[in-house]
Every structure is written in C-alpha cells, then in structure tokens.
C-alpha cells in the first residue's frame, strides 16, 4: 500500500507516531514514564544478574555455594510492595486518561460511520454528505464518530489520535477526538475481518474551519480533477483495488484491464458488452449481472458514489488498454 | 504391570516394538510420545510462521494470496497454542517427571493418562482435517461473527480444539490426584520440588477453565450447524459474548502455558547454582495466587470492544495485581544466584534467556495493562511482540531449558554441549531480532493480522523476517545435535548436573518402576547445604 499519511513513522518520536490531539500527548506522557521506569528497573536487574553470574561462577576456589540464603523478609516485602505501589500509580493514571479518551464532551459534531467488508463509509447527517474511505473534519472541534458494522466486527483506529474502538454489527459504538493539528491522518481497521482486512483503511483530513466550510459547500466533492485522473484516484480511495487489479491478474473480482467494450460472460450464461451502462450498473447494483467465475460479493455502491465519480471510473476503465 | 524380573533394564528396554509403546501405561513412555507430538507441532507451526514472515518481506504479494496468508497465521496460532504450547511442558516433561520427582511409581491413573494421549491425537486429526477441508482463516481466536460466516472449515478445527481440551482436562485431573495421593513417604507439601507445585497450579486451571472453552466452541458449532443464534447478530446473537467466553478460558490458559515454565526455572536455577532456592514458599504460593487471579482478568482483552468503563477499570486493576506474583518469582530466581557456585551448561543458558526475555515480556505487559495506552496498542504488532516475548521468550525457553536439562535422564544420552550452546545463542539472537522490531512498528501503529501494509513499515518487517531465519537456523542445529545424541550420544550418568531432586537419584533412563529402592525424603528439595552434593563426573570432561 502506498503511504499517503506520512506522519506515522517519519514524524513522531522513536516509539510513537506524532500526536495530534491534546489527549494523545497525555497518553504519550504515561507511555514514556512507564518506558523509562521499565528501562531503569530492567537495567538494574540486568546488572545485578551480570554481577552474580560473573562473581559466583564456578571456579577452583568457588566449588560450593558460599551461603544459602533461603529467605529475607525485608527484601521480600520490599519487592512485593514497591512494584505494587508503582503499578497502582500506573493503573490510576491510565484509568484517568482512559476516561478522557472515552467520554465525549457535550456538543460534539457527529459523523456516522459504517464499517463493511472492506471499506469505511462516512455520513454527515446534517449536511447529507456521504464519503467513502475518506473523511474531513475541522481542526479544534470535538468530533464524535457513531459507528456500526454491516457484517463482521471491524475496529476504527487512528494512530495519531491514540483512539481505537471496535465497530460491531447491531450495536453503536463511539469514538471521539479533537484534532489539534491540520493534516492528513491514517485510519486503519484493526479487528481482523477477512481477505481485505489490511486494505480496509481510510484517510482523515483535518482542515481549518474555512477550508472545511468550503469542502461542505462543494458537497464533499472533488470538482477540479479531470475525470480519468479522478477515476484513478477513486480506484484506490474507494477500495476498488481491494478486489480489482488493473494489470490483468485476478483478485476477488475480475481485473479491469481491457474490459471496456469487450464481451463479458455472465454466470447465467448470457453475454454482455461492457459499455458505459454496463459498468454503471456493475457499480451501483453489482448483483444485477454477475460475471462468470466470480462470487456475488461486490458491495453495492448506490448512494456512495456521485454521478461525476461514476463517470470518472468509467473514463478510467476505458483508459486501461 | 508385568511381574517378571526387570532388574537392570531401563524402561525402554523392558519391552520393544511399536505396540509396546502404543499400549503402554508407563508415564515415562507416554511423556516421550507427547514430547514427540508437541515437537512435531512446534515444527509445523514454525514452518507456517516462516512462510508468513516471508510473505511479509514486502507489502505486495510475494508468494501467497491474502486468503492463504490469513490461513497461514490462523494455523500458526492454532497449532502453536492448542497442539504445542498448552500441552508442551505439562504433558511431556510433566508426565515424565512428576512421578519421578515425588518418588512415585506412576501417575495416579495410568490408563487415563494413556487415554488423554489418544484424545490428544484425535483432536490433532480434526485440526489437520481442517487443512484439507479448506484451512480456517479466522485467527486462532475464532471471533464471531466472522467465524460464523466464513466459508472455511471452522467446525473441524473448533471440534479439534474442543477434543484437545478434554485431553488437557484429563491430564489435569490425573496430576491433581497424583500430587495429593502418590507422594513418597516424608515428602510433605513443602518438600515438593517447585516444578511439582507449578504443575499443581496448572492442573487447577486446566480443570476449571477448559470446560468453558469447550462449551463456547460447542455453541459456535451449534450456531453454524443448526443456525441457532448465539453469537451471530444476523441470527439475533451477540458477537461480543463470544469474546467474553473465549477469553474466560484463554486468559487463564496463558497461565497454563507459563506456570509450568516457571516451575522448570526453579529447578534449573537451583541445580546450576548449587544452592537452595530463595523464597521457596513465596514461589509456591505465588503459583497458586496466579492460578486464582488469572480467572478474573479476561476483560483486559476487551478494553476497546465497548465494555463499560467501570468493567474496564476493574479488569485493569486485577491485571496489575496478577503481575505481582510473577515479578516476585523473577526476583527470587535472581536472588538464588547470590553466593551460588554457578556452572554454565546449556540448560542454564536457557534459564538466563528466559530471565531476559520474560522480563521484557512482563514490562511491556504493564503498557498493555494501562487502559489509556492499551487503547492505542490493542491489536497492533506491539501485542504480537508482547505475547511472543512471554510465550516464546518465556515458555519455549523454559521448555528448551527443561528439555536439555532432563534429556540425559529421559534418553540416557548426552548431547554435544558446544553445539547446544551455539544453538541457544542463535535462538536468543534470532528471537530478539524477530520480535523486538515488532514492538517498534506496533507502537508506531502497525496493525496485526495484516497481509499488506503501508510502505513506511517495511524496514521493520524486513528485520523481523531476517530474525525468523536466524531462529530457524538455531532450531535446525538443535534438531541435528539432538538426533545425533539419540543415535550416537555418549552414555549419560544418572546425575550429570548434580541435581538433588529425586529424578536424579535413579538411573538414566530410569527403570520401569522408577526407583530400585523406594525413596524416603528427609530434606528440602534443594537443600545443597545439608545434603551431599552428588558428584558431577559425568558432565565434567
Ligand atoms: Cu475490518
């Protein structure tokens, strides 16, 4: 997969992606606190072990254990109680931040999210905008995602925000965040959901309020990019690439290479010419005509792609000779 | 058992031929057969691991399709958990050594012991059947509703795991009875070797937790076969319920895997430091404490599944509590080296590897137990690395340590010490290269169970795959010198390491009924101060 959001590995600290919310900074503080305490204790134990191993190794003068200390109440109580206290601090600290992570403030901006094998769709209920594998939020605004799955369990993970929540069929779960930095962020599915699990990712764009308003006005649509180029973008952005190749190789679905205007064999024995209307129907209502040799598993994109986007995809498929 | 005079013959010589093994009631032979099976399972699971690591060299397809990759990691996990690691130490080393260490003739129910071996074999057959019927692609956790809907052979493998569970329960029952009833005269509870204590704690969990897994898997099978809605929301079920049921077993099962390993550690540290153990009672009781608390922490696998914040808080608290007894044990082992007289034979190198790797596993567990951090790390490679450090860095290292420690006792042969040390080093290095890189990519956001990944993660994946090759070389070397030892190895003396526990007071390999003279116990198990230290002629060249 191509890297779109650059800020996971390249930006950020050695261990963690660049934090992009206030809470993410808090989570990181605890992370590094535990890390440095662990390193210190581990090193101390390592050095003690090393000293013992060197000092008490069998030699001609040390043929027998010098002394058999079998218990020492003070030491044993200390190394029970001190770790206990440290762990209780970690516990309470982690719990407090967890509450901040999981309890959304009132007056959030709500987006409905649907997870489905293998893409994410986003619905802005007030504006009536639908997007696929990409969503946009304004910076410094608390946003809540109200999520449900249409099939198996998925999980919404935004590494830069340190948030994650399972997306479950028949139940709503929520995640909230308030992005503090404008930028492009990676969204993963982290609950194993089948063949396309690893390509079930989305992009989150955090924009200034003005840019966000402009985006809303254009109804979330990209009106600038020329059609074939837009189609190429949609091929990955709308997850068609999970199932369709463009180089002739067969994945879950048939390759798009040189299908335009060719005769397609259907499962029911008929044959259809792959013209604009056929492609449009294949996208909006894929089960209407099922290509021979494939399972009817393609999700229907009705309502998820605008007319311009469908045109763009048709133009793109045309260009694949 | 036969009445003829077997004097002078060891348990392998009293009868020969395949049949004498298949119908044997001797705990030592059953232990060795288990050993053969668990090592084969480890080999197979390892091959799957190598294949999937190979595929991950590049985010693009190299050798396998997404579906095949998913099947590979499922089989790797399922085989390693159900066929290898759960039975590994208790069923193989435990079976062989438990009666020896408590001075008994056999386990309490020898027939039941053989039955559990056969049940294990039947379970294994069902697991492998799944390979032919369309290998499962659900992950070893079989989460619903994915597992209720996938077209692969979920029923066969869950049935396999269900049957394997019975094998595990029966071994547990047998061990509990044996420990209560078969101890030699003079062996009070606090004179038992710590390996026995750990087997006891393990057996308790096996008997109490495994039925829950069995019922869960059965419900899953019912749902798939009969369409009764239990977990599948399409039928009105609740998918998260499955996760609760599953982890109610599988978290205690983590301790089924690690407790026997901890027992092995106590044996290794005393013998190779020639010193009485530090804090015997604390170690024994902490095994029991772990067994009890381990039943109450399953919810820490569900911190992001939508369970209530209150439940999450309780599970996080209990999770931190269960860490304490493990920490205590580590401190006690460390202290046992103090003022000892340490020799560095291969088993002790595995002891040291365990200490190093298990500590890293433990410390990274603290990150995962902290609620806010777990939200970020859950289902990433950080978790994968964490449990490999605990399960492989812990249990497998202890298993290998135990195998090298008791190998002369079991087979009456020594192995090549130099090669064994080289192999231990390779395994240690390979392990760290493979899994440490996974910590970093995990906390950087790389999700687990990903066939493909963002290009930016590739360097870490390459490092991890190279590590897996180093590991493989280490294990092939080990297979080589162990097979050589069986065929050509030098004869082993009865006590090559100068151990004190009872198994070292009989010949290598032991006679059919374990001891020529019935043992009588007067000392603590590791009382190097007051007992004559056995000579170590056999091992010092
Ligand atoms: Cu998913």
């Amino acid at each position: 997969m191509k890297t779109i959001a650059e800020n996971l590995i390249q930006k950020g600290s050695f261990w963690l992606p660049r934090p992009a919310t206030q809470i993410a900074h808090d989570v990181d503080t605890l992370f590094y606190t535990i890390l440095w305490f662990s390193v210190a204790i581990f090193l101390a134990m390592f050095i003690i072990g090393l000293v013992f191993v060197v000092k008490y190794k069998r030699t001609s003068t040390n043929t027998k254990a010098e002394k058999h200390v079998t218990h020492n109440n003070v030491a044993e109580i200390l190394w029970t109680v001190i770790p206990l206290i440290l762990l209780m601090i970690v516990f309470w600290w982690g719990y407090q931040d967890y509450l901040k992570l999981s309890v959304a403030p009132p007056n959030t901006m709500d987006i409905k999210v649907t997870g489905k094998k293998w893409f994410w769709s986003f619905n802005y209920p007030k504006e009536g905008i639908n997007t696929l594998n990409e969503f946009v939020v304004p910076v410094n605004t608390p946003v809540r995602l109200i999520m449900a799955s249409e099939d198996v369990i998925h999980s919404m993970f935004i590494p830069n925000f340190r948030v994650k929540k399972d997306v479950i069929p028949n139940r709503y779960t929520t995640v909230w965040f308030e992005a503090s930095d404008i930028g492009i962020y990676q969204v993963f599915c982290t609950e194993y959901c089948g063949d396309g699990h690893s390509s079930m990712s989305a992009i989150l764009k955090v924009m200034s309020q003005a840019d966000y308003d402009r985006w809303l006005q254009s109804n979330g649509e990209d009106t600038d990019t020329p059609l074939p180029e837009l189609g190429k973008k949609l091929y990955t952005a709308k997850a068609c690439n999970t199932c369709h190749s463009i180089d002739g190789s067969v994945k879950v679905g048939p390759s798009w290479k040189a299908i335009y205007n060719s005769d397609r064999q259907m499962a029911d024995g008929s044959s259809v010419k792959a013209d604009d209307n056929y492609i449009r129907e294949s996208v909006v209502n894929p089960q209407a005509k099922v290509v021979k040799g494939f399972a009817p598993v393609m999700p229907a994109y009705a309502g998820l792609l605008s007319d311009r986007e469908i045109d763009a995809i048709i133009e793109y498929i045309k260009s694949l000779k | 058992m036969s009445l003829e005079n077997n004097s002078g013959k060891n348990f392998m010589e009293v009868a020969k031929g395949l049949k004498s093994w298949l119908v044997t009631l001797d705990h030592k032979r059953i232990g060795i057969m288990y050993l053969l099976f668990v090592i084969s399972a480890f080999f197979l699971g390892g091959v799957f691991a190598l294949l999937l690591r190979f595929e991950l060299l590049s985010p693009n397809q190299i050798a396998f399709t997404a579906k095949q990759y998913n099947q590979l990691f499922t089989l790797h996990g399922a085989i390693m958990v159900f066929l290898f690691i759960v039975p590994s130490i208790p069923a193989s080393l435990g079976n062989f050594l438990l009666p020896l260490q408590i001075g008994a003739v056999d386990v309490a129910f020898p027939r039941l012991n053989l039955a559990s071996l056969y049940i294990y074999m039947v379970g294994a057959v069902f697991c492998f059947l799944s390979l032919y019927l369309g290998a499962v692609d659900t992950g070893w956790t079989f989460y619903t509703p994915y597992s209720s809907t996938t077209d692969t052979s979920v029923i066969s493998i869950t049935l396999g795991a269900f049957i394997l569970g019975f094998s595990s329960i029966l071994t547990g029952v047998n061990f509990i009875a044996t420990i209560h009833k078969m101890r030699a005269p003079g062996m009070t509870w606090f004179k038992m070797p710590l390996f026995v204590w750990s087997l006891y704690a393990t057996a308790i969990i096996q008997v109490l937790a495994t039925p829950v897994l069995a019922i869960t898997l059965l419900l899953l099978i019912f749902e798939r076969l009969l369409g009764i809605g239990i977990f599948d929301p399409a039928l009105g079920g609740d998918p998260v319920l499955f996760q609760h049921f599953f982890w109610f077993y599988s978290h205690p099962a983590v301790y089924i895997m690690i407790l026997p390993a901890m027992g092995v550690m106590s044996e290794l540290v005393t013998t190779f430091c020639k010193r009485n153990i530090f804090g015997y009672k604390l170690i024994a009781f902490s095994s029991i404490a772990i067994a009890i608390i381990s039943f109450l922490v399953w919810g820490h696998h569900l911190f992001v599944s939508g369970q209530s914040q209150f439940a999450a808080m309780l599970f996080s608290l209990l999770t931190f509590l269960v860490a304490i007894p493990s920490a205590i044990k580590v401190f006690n082992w460390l202290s046992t080296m103090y003022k000892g007289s340490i020799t560095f034979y291969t088993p002790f190198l595995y002891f040291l590897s365990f200490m190093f790797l298990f500590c890293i596993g433990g410390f990274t567990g603290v990150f995962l137990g902290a609620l806010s951090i777990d939200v970020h790390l859950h289902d990433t490679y950080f978790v994968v690395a964490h449990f490999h450090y605990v399960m492989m860095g812990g249990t497998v290292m202890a298993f290998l340590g135990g195998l090298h420690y008791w190998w002369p006792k079991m087979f009456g042969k020594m192995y090549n010490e130099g090669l064994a040390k080289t192999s231990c080093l390779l395994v240690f290095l390979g392990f760290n290269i493979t899994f440490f890189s996974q910590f970093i990519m995990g906390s950087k956001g790389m999700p687990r169970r990903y066939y493909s990944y963002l290009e930016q993660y590739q360097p870490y994946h390459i490092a991890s795959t190279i590590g897996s090759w180093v590991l493989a070389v280490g294990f092939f070397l080990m297979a080589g010198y162990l097979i050589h030892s069986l065929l050509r190895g030098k004869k082993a003396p009865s006590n090559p390491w100068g151990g004190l526990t009872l198994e070292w007071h009989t010949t290598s390999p032991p006679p059919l009924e374990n001891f020529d003279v019935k043992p009588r116990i007067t000392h603590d198990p590791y009382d190097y101060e007051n007992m004559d230290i056995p000579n170590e002629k056999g091992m010092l060249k």
Side-chain angles (χ1 to χ4, degrees):
Chain A
M1 280 191 288
K2 272 267 173 301
T3 304
I4 302 172
E6 285 283 339
N7 40 26
L8 289 173
I9 296 283
Q10 288 82 355
K11 302 208 183 110
S13 57
F14 180 77
W15 287 97
L16 293 163
R18 185 166 65 82
T21 62
Q22 185 48 47
I23 296 179
H25 282 102
D26 299 346
V27 172
D28 292 7
T29 312
L30 177 57
F31 183 96
Y32 279 103
T33 310
I34 301 179
L35 182 72
W36 290 119
F37 264 91
S38 302
V39 169
I41 299 172
F42 182 79
L43 276 184
M45 289 169 64
F46 183 77
I47 291 170
I48 293 174
L50 203 66
V51 168
F52 285 178
V53 159
V54 172
K55 206 164 158 201
Y56 304 120
K57 72 163 187 270
R58 168 81 51 90
T59 57
S60 50
T61 51
N62 180 30
T63 53
K64 258 181 141 179
E66 228 176 282
K67 213 171 156 198
H68 296 261
V69 189
T70 54
H71 54 271
N72 179 325
N73 288 342
V74 177
E76 285 174 78
I77 290 173
L78 278 183
W79 70 49
T80 308
V81 173
I82 294 177
L84 188 66
I85 293 173
L86 291 176
L87 289 180
M88 286 305 106
I89 295 173
V90 171
F91 156 68
W92 192 249
W93 187 340
Y95 174 55
Q96 291 304 320
D97 283 348
Y98 177 73
L99 286 182
K100 283 194 267 171
L101 273 172
S102 51
V103 181
N107 309 325
T108 49
M109 172 190 139
D110 290 351
I111 301 175
K112 295 208 151 190
V113 180
T114 308
K116 194 171 170 186
K117 282 181 192 171
W118 295 283
F119 56 82
W120 297 104
S121 65
F122 301 89
N123 170 260
Y124 293 68
K126 275 208 213 103
E127 295 80 5
I129 296 176
N130 291 312
T131 65
L132 207 64
N133 285 346
E134 182 180 310
F135 68 122
V136 177
V137 301
V139 71
N140 292 331
T141 311
V143 175
R144 189 166 61 138
L145 307 181
I146 302 170
M147 310 183 292
S149 162
E150 283 192 9
D151 38 47
V152 300
I153 301 178
H154 303 281
S155 193
M156 159 71 61
F157 177 33
I158 313 175
N160 297 89
F161 298 173
R162 315 283 187 265
V163 294
K164 181 181 293 131
K165 195 53 141 312
D166 285 359
V167 179
I168 301 166
N170 235 347
R171 179 186 297 184
Y172 294 110
T173 52
T174 61
V175 131
W176 85 275
F177 54 81
E178 182 177 339
S180 57
D181 295 331
I182 291 173
I184 297 180
Y185 300 98
Q186 179 68 43
V187 178
F188 288 119
C189 172
T190 46
E191 185 62 67
Y192 171 69
C193 57
D195 297 355
H197 175 47
S198 60
S199 30
M200 185 168 163
S201 59
I203 290 297
L204 164 58
K205 292 184 174 155
V206 177
M207 295 181 175
S208 67
Q209 189 65 44
D211 284 346
Y212 176 71
D213 290 338
R214 217 165 298 132
W215 180 81
L216 283 184
Q217 243 131 53
S218 69
N219 253 334
E221 246 194 77
D222 181 343
T223 44
D224 311 330
T225 321
L227 284 184
E229 209 176 295
L230 178 63
K232 184 171 181 187
K233 269 170 75 177
L234 295 172
Y235 169 64
T236 42
K238 306 290 174 183
C240 315
N241 62 337
T242 329
C243 304
H244 297 286
S245 81
I246 50 171
D247 60 4
S249 63
V250 174
K251 292 167 105 174
V252 178
S255 173
W256 286 354
K257 189 181 161 122
I259 57 165
Y260 188 74
N261 261 343
S262 69
D263 284 324
R264 310 294 299 152
Q265 299 298 318
M266 295 300 126
D268 60 9
S270 62
S271 118
V272 188
K273 192 167 173 194
D275 55 12
D276 291 19
N277 271 318
Y278 168 78
I279 295 179
R280 187 186 172 86
E281 187 188 50
S282 295
V283 177
V284 178
N285 183 11
Q287 264 72 66
K289 299 194 180 75
V290 175
V291 182
K292 193 172 169 186
F294 293 92
V297 292
M298 176 164 158
Y301 282 81
L304 293 171
L305 294 172
S306 69
D307 285 342
R308 186 166 189 275
E309 286 170 331
I310 295 175
D311 289 346
I313 287 172
I314 295 174
E315 286 307 314
Y316 179 55
I317 292 181
K318 261 185 207 172
S319 72
L320 299 167
K321 298 270 160 49
Chain B
M1 241 160 259
S2 68
L3 292 171
E4 61 185 289
N5 181 10
N6 288 321
S7 64
K9 286 187 181 168
N10 70 44
F11 77 97
M12 295 209 216
E13 290 162 349
V14 289
K16 292 248 144 110
L18 188 63
K19 183 164 169 256
S20 76
W21 283 84
L22 292 181
V23 299
T24 182
L25 298 179
D26 181 1
H27 68 100
K28 298 184 284 305
R29 289 190 178 217
I30 294 173
I32 286 179
M33 285 191 278
Y34 261 121
L35 187 64
L36 184 73
F37 289 131
V38 297
I39 289 180
S40 316
F42 183 68
F43 173 77
L44 202 68
V47 169
F48 288 136
L50 285 173
L51 292 177
L52 65 89
R53 275 298 350 147
F54 179 67
E55 177 59 48
L56 289 173
L57 269 176
S58 153
N60 303 315
Q61 174 165 359
I62 298 179
F64 301 107
T65 63
K67 178 144 197 148
Q68 287 167 334
Y69 171 83
N70 295 339
Q71 292 170 322
L72 278 177
F73 78 65
T74 302
L75 291 168
H76 164 70
I79 290 177
M80 286 301 199
V81 169
F82 295 112
L83 287 171
F84 169 65
I85 207 162
V86 166
S88 66
I89 299 182
S92 66
L93 300 178
N95 241 319
F96 193 98
L97 285 148
L98 172 62
L100 280 165
Q101 286 204 320
I102 61 174
V105 173
D106 206 313
V107 291
F109 309 115
R111 281 203 173 73
L112 195 65
N113 203 13
L114 185 65
S116 79
L117 176 70
Y118 277 103
I119 295 172
Y120 172 88
M121 292 200 269
V122 174
V125 167
F126 274 96
C127 290
F128 291 124
L129 209 61
S130 133
L131 282 174
Y132 291 101
L133 302 175
V136 261
D137 67 340
T138 59
W140 77 278
T141 45
F142 309 121
Y143 270 20
T144 54
Y146 189 78
S147 58
S148 338
T149 49
T150 172
D151 57 4
T152 53
S153 64
V154 175
I155 293 186
S156 163
I157 196 151
T158 41
L159 206 58
F162 173 75
I163 295 170
L164 288 170
F166 279 95
S167 161
S168 178
I169 295 172
L170 295 183
T171 306
V173 171
N174 212 340
F175 282 9
I176 292 179
T178 309
I179 293 169
H180 272 275
K181 289 288 166 205
M182 310 280 286
R183 282 171 284 129
M187 179 167 285
T188 58
W189 282 85
F190 292 118
K191 289 204 163 54
M192 296 195 313
L194 285 162
F195 183 53
V196 176
W197 269 104
S198 75
L199 288 176
Y200 187 72
T202 309
I204 293 176
I205 312 181
Q206 279 176 312
V207 170
L208 294 181
T210 319
V212 179
L213 176 73
I215 293 163
T216 310
L217 296 179
L218 214 55
L219 289 175
L220 186 60
I221 294 171
F222 281 164
E223 177 168 279
R224 279 194 69 120
L225 276 182
L226 310 173
I228 305 172
I230 300 159
F231 306 122
D232 185 357
L235 302 170
D238 180 351
V240 183
L241 181 66
F242 177 85
Q243 299 181 18
H244 282 281
F245 282 177
F246 182 83
W247 288 111
F248 187 86
Y249 163 75
S250 294
H251 195 84
V254 169
Y255 292 94
I256 296 182
M257 306 174 200
I258 197 70
L259 277 169
M262 293 171 157
V264 172
M265 292 289 286
S266 301
E267 303 297 316
L268 297 182
V269 70
T270 46
T271 297
F272 292 93
C273 296
K274 294 285 172 295
R275 234 210 71 165
N276 204 341
I277 188 100
F278 184 93
Y280 176 96
K281 282 197 182 166
L282 209 54
I283 296 185
F285 286 137
S286 61
S287 289
I288 305 293
I290 289 175
I292 295 167
I293 310 177
S294 73
F295 279 96
L296 305 172
V297 300
W298 80 89
H300 69 208
H301 296 271
L302 286 90
F303 285 159
V304 303
S305 70
Q307 76 186 359
S308 75
Q309 282 96 357
F310 181 69
M313 181 198 78
L314 282 183
F315 283 122
S316 169
L317 179 68
L318 288 159
T319 300
F320 283 117
L321 290 185
V322 81
I324 298 288
S326 307
I328 291 177
K329 282 175 187 260
V330 171
F331 293 136
N332 283 0
W333 293 321
L334 196 61
S335 321
T336 301
M337 304 201 306
Y338 177 66
K339 300 219 162 174
S341 166
I342 307 174
T343 44
F344 295 87
Y345 292 97
T346 310
F348 193 69
L349 297 189
Y350 279 108
F351 167 86
L352 294 175
S353 308
F354 176 112
M355 290 288 271
F356 188 93
L357 302 175
F358 184 72
C359 281
I360 296 182
F363 280 117
T364 49
V366 176
F367 292 80
L368 295 168
L371 280 166
S372 60
I373 301 179
D374 182 72
V375 170
H376 177 62
L377 297 177
H378 180 83
D379 269 342
T380 66
Y381 264 75
F382 193 93
V383 176
V384 177
H386 161 72
F387 70 71
H388 278 91
Y389 265 84
V390 178
M391 306 283 59
M392 186 162 181
T395 308
V396 175
M397 292 302 144
F399 174 68
L400 295 176
L403 186 68
H404 285 82
Y405 179 56
W406 285 302
W407 182 269
K409 180 58 59 188
M410 300 174 93
F411 299 103
K413 299 283 176 62
M414 300 304 291
Y415 45 82
N416 183 311
E417 188 63 34
L419 291 179
K421 282 186 173 141
T422 316
S423 143
C424 177
L425 192 72
L426 286 172
V427 168
F428 180 79
L429 286 178
F431 178 85
N432 280 303
I433 302 171
T434 310
F435 293 106
F436 203 82
S437 43
Q438 298 188 0
F439 276 128
I440 307 172
M441 66 172 137
S443 63
K444 282 282 199 179
M446 172 76 211
R448 69 191 282 203
R449 295 178 170 174
Y450 261 33
Y451 166 64
S452 174
Y453 48 84
L454 296 182
E455 280 159 1
Q456 48 189 327
Y457 292 113
Q458 195 171 14
Y460 300 95
H461 277 291
I462 292 179
S464 182
T465 301
I466 293 175
S468 73
W469 296 337
V470 179
L471 259 175
V473 173
F475 279 117
F476 276 109
L477 181 60
M478 186 182 305
Y481 70 75
L482 286 182
I483 291 173
H484 178 266
S485 151
L486 283 181
L487 301 176
R488 302 245 146 79
K490 245 179 49 200
K491 206 172 148 18
S494 57
N495 191 359
W497 321 114
L500 283 189
T501 40
L502 285 176
E503 75 271 28
W504 303 112
H505 294 217
T506 184
T507 49
S508 301
L512 180 63
E513 301 204 326
N514 291 347
F515 300 95
D516 292 331
V517 188
K518 196 153 176 57
R520 180 165 282 283
I521 286 84
T522 49
H523 286 84
D524 289 345
Y526 313 109
D527 194 356
Y528 277 97
E529 198 170 2
N530 302 312
M531 279 169 85
D532 294 335
I533 298 183
N535 84 27
E536 301 172 0
K537 278 274 160 48
M539 71 175 178
L540 299 169
K541 271 204 271 279

